[in-house]
Amino acid sequence: MTISMEILDELLTGVKRPEDLLGDSGLLKELKIRLMERMLGAELSAHLGYEEGKAAPPGQSNRRNGSTTKVLKGQDGAFPVTVPRDRDSSFEPELIKKGQTRIDGIDDRIIGLYAAGLTVRDIQTHLLDLYGLKVSPDLISRVTDAVLDEVREWQGRALDRMYPIVIFDALRVKIRDADSRTVKNKAVYVALGVTREGVREVLGLWIAENEGAKFWLSVMNELKNRGIQDILIAVVDGLKGFPEAITAAFPEAMVQTCIVHLVRHSLNFCSWKDRKAVAADLRRIYGAATADMAAAELDAFEEKWAGKYASIAPAWRRAWPEVIPFFAFDPAIRKIIYTTNTIESLNRVIRKSIKTRGSFPTDDAATKLIYLAIRSFEKDGRNVREWFAARNQFAIMFGERFAA
């Protein structure tokens, strides 16, 4: 639609200053109001079957019945709009629905601010300072609570039959307990899958009191109920009993311990002056060409450091069955398998959103914000690098399981 120059010149008559066009009483806001009222009038004419000022069709009792004024809130502030009425109250306008008080994506703006980690009070201040909108905490809560419906649908959606890789991890979030009213460090569990096409997909999130194998088993069962029949490689963070929980639900899954977590755990036993040297020697273990060579490097590490840090090598030996699976793969793609770096990047996005919060009042409040962070994470690119080479190796190593 093109507006002629003549109409523009007529509209701009009397506009001398920027505020005459953009101010609270400027042309743009007035034009917006008048156009909306014009469209509402046209909707009522279509509903009644006759134009304003004309006679109603014979036998029709419903007529125009004055108007009401409602205040709408939008990105350019609050403004009044006159809404026409009919006698029998059967008119349901599409432009501004009954009960609607917000337009111009103001709900999306509130959700966007919430996703950025702003508190309810911060959102109130932002909307007031930037748009001159006074919104109540209850309104903000109602808008963000609508996200929970989306979360429930997302959390219950059907999943693929097979995922070549699923990475499991947990992070800690402070949430106020409803019974004791004390703030507790609760675990937020996240499962990040990689599809056959090499696309990252967050399969779900769960909040519980503690990170434990028993709870992880319930997560595995939920994933099975949502359609997953097979996981080729499950990458975990070293939690005791976790491999058993995975293989109880997916008996053929190859369980791979996250090397990054294991290295971090090892360095916790070291003094600062030795950390660099210990890390370099550990790199010789997981950087070896084969599992046998890695075992030899572990023996050499133990011989060198056992006198000073006796607990490191035994920790690697206890986890050894879950350490070595990635040695069967080409070095170029091992980083996709043996580390949870992929999920660590997701955790960074989540932590960035929650870092301004001292604590959350409820589990639902934490769920809303974490889900919005996940949604943002998935928008930034979901393809795994070097997946073509990995896919070819998966097809060879796992055969029918990968093709199923």
Side-chain angles (χ1 to χ4, degrees), residues 172-240:
R172 292 286 173 174
V173 176
K174 294 182 182 295
I175 302 175
R176 186 173 298 278
D177 184 72
D179 297 326
S180 65
R181 307 305 298 168
T182 59
V183 174
K184 294 184 176 180
N185 274 326
K186 293 190 176 182
V188 177
Y189 303 85
V190 180
L192 176 63
V194 178
T195 69
R196 193 196 317 266
E197 290 73 31
V199 177
R200 297 180 299 176
E201 177 187 354
V202 180
L203 307 181
L205 70 92
W206 302 265
I207 296 179
E209 292 285 342
N210 296 294
E211 183 181 6
K214 183 177 180 180
F215 183 81
W216 273 120
L217 179 59
S218 70
V219 170
M220 299 302 130
N221 290 331
E222 178 182 323
L223 294 176
K224 287 187 68 175
N225 293 335
R226 291 168 58 193
I228 299 180
Q229 297 182 29
D230 194 9
I231 294 174
L232 303 186
I233 301 175
V235 184
V236 301
D237 64 357
L239 177 69
K240 185 178 180 180

Coordinates of all heavy atoms in Angstrom, one line a residue, residues 172-240:
R172 N 23.5 -25.9 39.5 CA 22.8 -25.5 40.8 C 22.1 -24.2 40.7 O 22.7 -23.2 40.1 CB 23.8 -25.5 41.9 CG 24.3 -26.9 42.2 CD 23.3 -27.7 42.9 NE 23.7 -29.1 43.1 CZ 23.0 -30.0 43.8 NH1 21.9 -29.7 44.4 NH2 23.4 -31.3 43.9
V173 N 20.9 -24.1 41.2 CA 20.2 -22.8 41.2 C 19.6 -22.6 42.6 O 19.1 -23.6 43.2 CB 19.1 -22.8 40.1 CG1 18.2 -21.6 40.2 CG2 19.6 -23.0 38.7
K174 N 19.6 -21.4 43.1 CA 19.0 -21.1 44.4 C 17.5 -20.9 44.3 O 17.1 -20.0 43.6 CB 19.7 -19.9 45.1 CG 21.2 -20.1 45.4 CD 21.7 -18.9 46.1 CE 23.2 -19.0 46.3 NZ 23.5 -20.1 47.3
I175 N 16.7 -21.7 45.0 CA 15.3 -21.6 44.9 C 14.7 -21.7 46.3 O 15.1 -22.5 47.1 CB 14.7 -22.8 44.0 CG1 15.3 -22.7 42.6 CG2 13.2 -22.6 44.0 CD1 14.8 -23.9 41.7
R176 N 13.7 -20.8 46.6 CA 13.1 -20.8 47.9 C 12.2 -22.0 48.1 O 11.3 -22.3 47.2 CB 12.4 -19.5 48.2 CG 11.8 -19.4 49.6 CD 11.2 -18.0 49.8 NE 12.2 -17.0 49.6 CZ 13.1 -16.6 50.5 NH1 13.1 -17.2 51.7 NH2 13.9 -15.6 50.3
D177 N 12.4 -22.8 49.1 CA 11.5 -23.9 49.4 C 10.2 -23.5 49.9 O 10.1 -22.7 50.8 CB 12.2 -24.8 50.4 CG 11.4 -26.1 50.7 OD1 11.4 -27.0 49.8 OD2 10.8 -26.2 51.8
A178 N 9.1 -24.1 49.3 CA 7.7 -23.6 49.7 C 7.4 -24.0 51.1 O 6.6 -23.3 51.8 CB 6.7 -24.3 48.7
D179 N 7.9 -25.1 51.7 CA 7.5 -25.5 53.0 C 8.3 -24.8 54.1 O 7.8 -24.3 55.0 CB 7.7 -27.1 53.1 CG 6.8 -27.8 52.1 OD1 5.7 -27.3 51.9 OD2 7.2 -28.9 51.6
S180 N 9.7 -24.9 53.9 CA 10.5 -24.3 55.0 C 10.8 -22.8 54.8 O 11.3 -22.2 55.8 CB 11.9 -25.1 55.0 OG 12.6 -24.8 53.8
R181 N 10.5 -22.3 53.6 CA 10.7 -20.9 53.3 C 12.2 -20.5 53.3 O 12.6 -19.4 53.4 CB 10.0 -19.9 54.2 CG 8.5 -20.2 54.4 CD 7.8 -20.2 53.0 NE 8.0 -18.9 52.4 CZ 7.7 -18.6 51.1 NH1 7.3 -19.6 50.3 NH2 7.8 -17.4 50.6
T182 N 13.0 -21.5 53.3 CA 14.5 -21.3 53.2 C 15.0 -21.5 51.8 O 14.3 -22.2 51.0 CB 15.3 -22.3 54.1 OG1 15.0 -23.6 53.7 CG2 14.9 -22.1 55.6
V183 N 16.1 -20.8 51.5 CA 16.6 -20.9 50.1 C 17.5 -22.1 50.0 O 18.4 -22.4 50.9 CB 17.4 -19.6 49.7 CG1 18.1 -19.8 48.4 CG2 16.5 -18.4 49.7
K184 N 17.3 -23.0 49.0 CA 18.0 -24.2 48.8 C 18.7 -24.2 47.5 O 18.2 -23.6 46.5 CB 17.1 -25.4 48.9 CG 16.5 -25.6 50.3 CD 15.7 -26.9 50.3 CE 15.1 -27.2 51.7 NZ 14.3 -28.5 51.7
N185 N 19.9 -24.9 47.4 CA 20.5 -25.1 46.2 C 19.9 -26.3 45.5 O 20.2 -27.5 45.9 CB 22.0 -25.3 46.4 CG 22.8 -24.0 46.4 OD1 22.5 -23.1 45.7 ND2 23.8 -24.0 47.2
K186 N 19.1 -26.1 44.5 CA 18.5 -27.2 43.8 C 19.2 -27.5 42.5 O 19.8 -26.6 41.9 CB 17.0 -26.9 43.5 CG 16.2 -26.9 44.8 CD 14.7 -26.8 44.5 CE 13.8 -26.9 45.7 NZ 12.4 -26.9 45.4
A187 N 19.1 -28.8 42.1 CA 19.8 -29.2 40.8 C 18.8 -29.0 39.6 O 17.7 -29.4 39.7 CB 20.2 -30.6 40.9
V188 N 19.3 -28.4 38.6 CA 18.6 -28.3 37.3 C 19.2 -29.2 36.4 O 20.4 -29.1 36.0 CB 18.6 -26.9 36.8 CG1 17.9 -26.8 35.4 CG2 17.9 -25.9 37.7
Y189 N 18.5 -30.3 36.0 CA 19.0 -31.3 35.1 C 18.7 -30.9 33.7 O 17.6 -30.5 33.4 CB 18.4 -32.6 35.4 CG 18.6 -33.1 36.8 CD1 17.7 -32.7 37.8 CD2 19.6 -34.0 37.1 CE1 17.9 -33.2 39.1 CE2 19.8 -34.5 38.4 CZ 18.9 -34.1 39.4 OH 19.1 -34.5 40.7
V190 N 19.6 -31.1 32.8 CA 19.4 -30.8 31.4 C 19.9 -32.0 30.5 O 21.0 -32.5 30.8 CB 20.2 -29.5 31.0 CG1 20.0 -29.2 29.5 CG2 19.7 -28.3 31.8
A191 N 19.2 -32.3 29.5 CA 19.6 -33.4 28.6 C 19.7 -32.7 27.2 O 18.7 -32.2 26.7 CB 18.6 -34.5 28.6
L192 N 20.8 -32.8 26.6 CA 21.0 -32.2 25.3 C 21.4 -33.3 24.3 O 22.4 -33.9 24.4 CB 22.2 -31.1 25.3 CG 22.6 -30.5 24.0 CD1 21.4 -29.7 23.4 CD2 23.8 -29.6 24.2
G193 N 20.5 -33.5 23.3 CA 20.7 -34.5 22.3 C 21.3 -34.0 21.0 O 21.2 -32.8 20.7
V194 N 21.9 -34.8 20.3 CA 22.4 -34.5 18.9 C 21.7 -35.5 18.0 O 21.7 -36.7 18.2 CB 23.9 -34.7 18.7 CG1 24.3 -34.4 17.3 CG2 24.6 -33.7 19.7
T195 N 20.9 -35.0 17.0 CA 20.1 -35.8 16.1 C 21.0 -36.5 15.1 O 22.2 -36.2 14.9 CB 19.0 -35.0 15.4 OG1 19.6 -34.1 14.5 CG2 18.2 -34.2 16.5
R196 N 20.4 -37.4 14.3 CA 21.1 -38.1 13.3 C 21.6 -37.1 12.2 O 22.6 -37.3 11.6 CB 20.1 -39.0 12.6 CG 20.7 -40.0 11.6 CD 19.7 -40.7 10.7 NE 18.5 -41.0 11.4 CZ 18.2 -42.2 11.9 NH1 19.1 -43.1 11.8 NH2 17.1 -42.4 12.6
E197 N 21.0 -35.9 12.1 CA 21.4 -34.9 11.1 C 22.4 -33.9 11.7 O 22.8 -33.0 11.1 CB 20.2 -34.1 10.6 CG 19.2 -34.9 9.7 CD 18.4 -35.9 10.5 OE1 18.1 -35.6 11.7 OE2 18.1 -37.0 9.9
G198 N 22.8 -34.2 13.0 CA 23.8 -33.3 13.6 C 23.3 -32.0 14.2 O 24.0 -31.0 14.3
V199 N 22.0 -32.0 14.5 CA 21.4 -30.8 15.1 C 21.2 -31.0 16.6 O 20.7 -32.0 17.1 CB 20.0 -30.6 14.5 CG1 19.3 -29.4 15.1 CG2 20.1 -30.4 13.0
R200 N 21.7 -30.0 17.3 CA 21.6 -30.0 18.8 C 20.1 -29.7 19.2 O 19.5 -28.8 18.7 CB 22.4 -28.9 19.4 CG 23.9 -29.1 19.2 CD 24.7 -28.0 19.8 NE 24.4 -26.7 19.3 CZ 24.9 -25.6 19.7 NH1 25.8 -25.6 20.7 NH2 24.6 -24.4 19.2
E201 N 19.6 -30.5 20.1 CA 18.2 -30.3 20.6 C 18.2 -30.6 22.1 O 18.5 -31.7 22.5 CB 17.3 -31.3 19.8 CG 15.9 -31.3 20.3 CD 15.0 -32.4 19.7 OE1 15.6 -33.2 18.8 OE2 13.9 -32.6 20.1
V202 N 17.7 -29.6 22.8 CA 17.5 -29.8 24.3 C 16.3 -30.6 24.5 O 15.2 -30.3 24.1 CB 17.4 -28.5 25.0 CG1 17.2 -28.7 26.5 CG2 18.7 -27.6 24.8
L203 N 16.5 -31.8 25.1 CA 15.4 -32.8 25.2 C 14.5 -32.5 26.4 O 13.3 -32.8 26.4 CB 15.9 -34.2 25.3 CG 16.9 -34.6 24.2 CD1 17.4 -36.0 24.5 CD2 16.4 -34.4 22.9
G204 N 15.0 -31.8 27.4 CA 14.2 -31.4 28.5 C 15.0 -30.9 29.6 O 16.2 -30.9 29.6
L205 N 14.3 -30.3 30.6 CA 14.9 -29.9 31.9 C 14.0 -30.3 33.0 O 12.8 -30.4 32.9 CB 15.1 -28.3 31.8 CG 13.9 -27.4 31.9 CD1 13.6 -27.0 33.4 CD2 14.1 -26.1 31.1
W206 N 14.7 -30.6 34.1 CA 14.1 -31.0 35.3 C 14.7 -30.4 36.6 O 15.9 -30.2 36.6 CB 14.2 -32.6 35.4 CG 13.6 -33.3 34.3 CD1 12.4 -33.8 34.1 CD2 14.3 -33.6 33.0 NE1 12.2 -34.4 32.9 CE2 13.4 -34.3 32.2 CE3 15.6 -33.3 32.5 CZ2 13.7 -34.8 30.9 CZ3 15.9 -33.8 31.3 CH2 15.0 -34.5 30.5
I207 N 13.9 -30.1 37.6 CA 14.4 -29.5 38.8 C 14.2 -30.4 40.0 O 13.0 -30.9 40.1 CB 13.8 -28.1 39.1 CG1 14.2 -27.1 38.0 CG2 14.2 -27.6 40.4 CD1 13.5 -25.7 38.1
A208 N 15.2 -30.7 40.8 CA 15.0 -31.6 41.9 C 15.9 -31.1 43.0 O 16.8 -30.3 42.9 CB 15.4 -33.0 41.5
E209 N 15.7 -31.7 44.2 CA 16.5 -31.3 45.4 C 18.0 -31.6 45.2 O 18.8 -30.8 45.5 CB 16.0 -32.1 46.6 CG 14.6 -31.7 47.1 CD 14.6 -30.3 47.8 OE1 15.7 -29.9 48.2 OE2 13.5 -29.7 47.9
N210 N 18.3 -32.8 44.7 CA 19.7 -33.2 44.6 C 19.9 -33.9 43.3 O 19.0 -34.5 42.7 CB 20.1 -34.2 45.7 CG 20.0 -33.5 47.1 OD1 20.8 -32.6 47.4 ND2 19.1 -33.9 47.9
E211 N 21.2 -33.9 42.8 CA 21.6 -34.6 41.6 C 21.9 -36.0 42.0 O 22.9 -36.2 42.7 CB 22.8 -33.9 40.9 CG 23.2 -34.6 39.7 CD 24.4 -33.9 39.0 OE1 24.9 -33.0 39.7 OE2 24.8 -34.3 37.9
G212 N 21.1 -37.0 41.6 CA 21.4 -38.4 42.0 C 21.0 -39.3 41.0 O 20.2 -39.1 40.1
A213 N 21.6 -40.6 41.0 CA 21.3 -41.6 40.0 C 19.9 -42.0 40.0 O 19.3 -42.3 39.0 CB 22.2 -42.8 40.3
K214 N 19.2 -42.0 41.2 CA 17.8 -42.4 41.2 C 17.0 -41.5 40.4 O 16.1 -41.9 39.7 CB 17.4 -42.5 42.7 CG 15.9 -43.0 42.9 CD 15.6 -43.1 44.4 CE 14.1 -43.5 44.5 NZ 13.8 -43.6 46.0
F215 N 17.2 -40.2 40.6 CA 16.4 -39.2 39.8 C 16.7 -39.3 38.3 O 15.9 -39.2 37.5 CB 16.7 -37.8 40.3 CG 15.8 -36.8 39.6 CD1 14.5 -36.6 40.0 CD2 16.3 -36.0 38.6 CE1 13.7 -35.6 39.4 CE2 15.6 -35.1 37.9 CZ 14.2 -34.9 38.3
W216 N 18.0 -39.6 38.0 CA 18.4 -39.7 36.6 C 17.7 -40.9 36.0 O 17.3 -40.8 34.8 CB 19.9 -39.8 36.4 CG 20.6 -38.5 36.3 CD1 21.6 -38.1 37.2 CD2 20.5 -37.5 35.3 NE1 22.0 -36.8 36.8 CE2 21.4 -36.5 35.6 CE3 19.6 -37.4 34.2 CZ2 21.4 -35.3 34.9 CZ3 19.7 -36.2 33.5 CH2 20.6 -35.2 33.8
L217 N 17.4 -41.9 36.7 CA 16.7 -43.1 36.2 C 15.3 -42.7 35.8 O 14.8 -43.1 34.8 CB 16.7 -44.2 37.2 CG 16.0 -45.5 36.7 CD1 16.6 -46.1 35.5 CD2 16.0 -46.5 37.8
S218 N 14.7 -41.8 36.6 CA 13.3 -41.4 36.3 C 13.3 -40.5 35.0 O 12.4 -40.5 34.2 CB 12.7 -40.6 37.5 OG 13.4 -39.3 37.6
V219 N 14.4 -39.7 34.8 CA 14.6 -39.0 33.6 C 14.7 -39.9 32.4 O 14.1 -39.6 31.4 CB 15.8 -38.0 33.7 CG1 16.1 -37.4 32.4 CG2 15.6 -37.0 34.8
M220 N 15.5 -40.9 32.5 CA 15.7 -41.9 31.4 C 14.3 -42.5 31.1 O 14.0 -42.6 29.9 CB 16.6 -43.0 31.8 CG 18.0 -42.6 32.2 SD 18.8 -41.7 30.9 CE 19.4 -40.3 31.8
N221 N 13.5 -42.9 32.1 CA 12.2 -43.5 31.8 C 11.3 -42.5 31.1 O 10.5 -42.9 30.2 CB 11.6 -44.0 33.1 CG 12.4 -45.2 33.6 OD1 13.0 -46.0 32.9 ND2 12.4 -45.4 34.9
E222 N 11.4 -41.2 31.5 CA 10.5 -40.2 30.8 C 10.9 -40.1 29.4 O 10.1 -40.0 28.5 CB 10.7 -38.9 31.5 CG 9.8 -37.8 30.8 CD 10.0 -36.4 31.5 OE1 10.1 -36.4 32.7 OE2 10.0 -35.4 30.8
L223 N 12.2 -40.1 29.1 CA 12.7 -39.9 27.7 C 12.2 -41.1 26.9 O 11.9 -41.0 25.7 CB 14.2 -39.8 27.7 CG 14.8 -38.6 28.3 CD1 16.3 -38.6 28.3 CD2 14.3 -37.3 27.6
K224 N 12.2 -42.3 27.5 CA 11.7 -43.5 26.8 C 10.3 -43.4 26.5 O 9.8 -43.7 25.4 CB 12.0 -44.8 27.6 CG 13.4 -45.2 27.7 CD 13.6 -46.6 28.4 CE 12.9 -47.7 27.5 NZ 13.2 -49.0 28.2
N225 N 9.5 -42.9 27.5 CA 8.1 -42.7 27.3 C 7.7 -41.7 26.2 O 6.7 -41.7 25.6 CB 7.4 -42.3 28.6 CG 7.5 -43.4 29.6 OD1 7.6 -44.6 29.3 ND2 7.4 -43.1 30.9
R226 N 8.7 -40.8 25.9 CA 8.4 -39.8 24.9 C 9.0 -40.2 23.5 O 8.9 -39.4 22.6 CB 9.1 -38.5 25.3 CG 8.4 -37.8 26.5 CD 9.2 -36.7 27.1 NE 9.5 -35.7 26.1 CZ 10.4 -34.7 26.3 NH1 11.1 -34.7 27.4 NH2 10.6 -33.8 25.4
G227 N 9.4 -41.4 23.4 CA 9.7 -42.0 22.1 C 11.1 -42.4 21.9 O 11.4 -43.1 20.9
I228 N 12.1 -42.1 22.7 CA 13.5 -42.5 22.5 C 13.6 -44.0 22.8 O 13.3 -44.5 23.9 CB 14.5 -41.8 23.4 CG1 14.4 -40.2 23.1 CG2 15.9 -42.3 23.1 CD1 15.4 -39.4 23.9
Q229 N 14.1 -44.8 21.8 CA 14.3 -46.2 21.9 C 15.8 -46.6 22.0 O 16.1 -47.6 22.5 CB 13.7 -47.0 20.8 CG 12.1 -46.8 20.7 CD 11.5 -47.6 19.6 OE1 12.0 -48.6 19.2 NE2 10.4 -47.1 19.0
D230 N 16.6 -45.7 21.6 CA 18.1 -46.0 21.6 C 18.9 -44.8 21.7 O 18.6 -43.7 21.1 CB 18.4 -46.8 20.3 CG 19.8 -47.5 20.4 OD1 20.4 -47.5 21.6 OD2 20.3 -48.0 19.4
I231 N 20.0 -44.8 22.5 CA 21.0 -43.8 22.6 C 22.3 -44.5 22.3 O 22.7 -45.5 22.9 CB 21.0 -43.1 24.0 CG1 19.7 -42.3 24.2 CG2 22.2 -42.2 24.1 CD1 19.6 -41.8 25.6
L232 N 23.1 -44.0 21.3 CA 24.3 -44.6 21.0 C 25.4 -44.3 22.0 O 26.1 -45.2 22.5 CB 24.8 -44.2 19.6 CG 23.8 -44.5 18.4 CD1 24.4 -44.1 17.1 CD2 23.3 -45.9 18.4
I233 N 25.6 -43.0 22.3 CA 26.6 -42.6 23.2 C 26.0 -41.6 24.2 O 25.4 -40.6 23.8 CB 27.8 -41.9 22.5 CG1 28.4 -42.9 21.5 CG2 28.8 -41.4 23.5 CD1 29.5 -42.2 20.7
A234 N 26.1 -41.9 25.5 CA 25.6 -41.0 26.5 C 26.8 -40.4 27.2 O 27.7 -41.1 27.7 CB 24.7 -41.7 27.5
V235 N 26.9 -39.1 27.2 CA 28.1 -38.4 27.8 C 27.6 -37.9 29.2 O 26.6 -37.1 29.3 CB 28.5 -37.2 26.9 CG1 29.8 -36.5 27.6 CG2 28.9 -37.7 25.5
V236 N 28.3 -38.2 30.3 CA 27.9 -37.9 31.6 C 29.0 -37.2 32.3 O 30.2 -37.1 31.9 CB 27.5 -39.1 32.4 CG1 26.3 -39.8 31.6 CG2 28.7 -40.1 32.5
D237 N 28.7 -36.7 33.5 CA 29.7 -35.9 34.3 C 30.4 -36.6 35.4 O 31.0 -36.0 36.3 CB 29.0 -34.6 34.8 CG 27.9 -34.9 35.8 OD1 27.7 -36.1 36.1 OD2 27.3 -34.0 36.4
G238 N 30.3 -37.9 35.5 CA 31.0 -38.7 36.5 C 30.2 -39.0 37.7 O 30.8 -39.5 38.7
L239 N 28.9 -38.6 37.8 CA 28.1 -38.9 39.0 C 28.1 -40.4 39.3 O 27.9 -41.2 38.4 CB 26.7 -38.4 38.8 CG 25.7 -38.6 39.9 CD1 26.1 -37.8 41.1 CD2 24.3 -38.3 39.5
K240 N 28.3 -40.8 40.5 CA 28.3 -42.2 40.9 C 26.9 -42.8 40.7 O 25.9 -42.2 41.1 CB 28.7 -42.3 42.4 CG 28.8 -43.7 42.9 CD 29.2 -43.8 44.3 CE 29.3 -45.2 44.8 NZ 29.7 -45.3 46.2

